[in-house]
Amino acid sequence: MDKKVAKLLEEQINKELYSAYLYLDFSNFCKHKGLDGFANWYEVQAKEEMDHAILFVKYLQNNNQAVALSAIAKPDVKPKTVMDVLKAGLKHEEYVTSLIHTIYGAAKAVDDFRTTQFLDWFVKEQGEEEVNANDLVSKMELFGSDPRSLYLLDNELKARVYSAPSLVL
């Protein structure tokens, strides 16, 4: 495996773990605000990010690459409102998409077809993540100022359950 591609994949492990920390922080914020559904939504997000990190670890291991884990930074977002959380979540997903695209481009540049095929799932996943995050922002803009509507939206988000990814390595 190309050294640059391997390094980017290894760095992505840390980015995915940071994402999990960030979403746990968002979940804590929402829970403190009494929005259990929003807290649940971000807790599920955190679990997904943990699984994404593990997928990157396993992929590197399956390609005979040693994996060195690095320290995970403390989340640096300081939200004041739930809308701050939602917008920061969308911005973060857009950032993660850019990271995946960078790795994909590096793998493509060296004809690493196995890695590009592995990353195809993440490209699709990031598209879904951005749509979901954007939908939350839109719904909050539409309903967030009305207490009854916010209550219904929060209840809708309580119903979200975690589903492990079905990516075959």
Side-chain angles (χ1 to χ4, degrees), residues 143 145-153:
F143 310 122
S145 61
D146 175 52
R148 285 184 223 147
S149 296
L150 180 60
Y151 176 79
L152 292 173
L153 179 56

Side-chain angles (χ1 to χ4, degrees), residues 8-80:
L8 289 169
L9 290 165
E10 188 175 78
E11 289 171 356
Q12 190 62 30
I13 295 165
N14 185 269
K15 302 295 185 187
E16 298 292 338
L17 292 172
Y18 173 82
S19 297
Y21 267 33
L22 179 66
Y23 291 147
L24 280 176
D25 201 38
F26 288 174
S27 179
N28 288 333
F29 179 88
C30 293
K31 185 74 171 175
H32 182 73
K33 296 289 184 187
L35 295 168
D36 294 344
F38 284 84
N40 176 65
W41 199 89
Y42 279 108
E43 184 179 320
V44 170
Q45 282 298 108
K47 290 175 184 176
E48 284 186 3
E49 304 305 339
M50 292 292 296
D51 272 352
H52 294 171
I54 291 168
L55 288 170
F56 280 102
V57 169
K58 288 182 180 281
Y59 181 76
L60 285 167
Q61 290 171 340
N62 289 345
N63 285 278
N64 297 316
Q65 299 297 309
V67 177
L69 301 176
S70 56
I72 304 164
K74 181 178 177 177
D76 57 355
V77 177
K78 303 290 183 217
K80 292 187 171 97

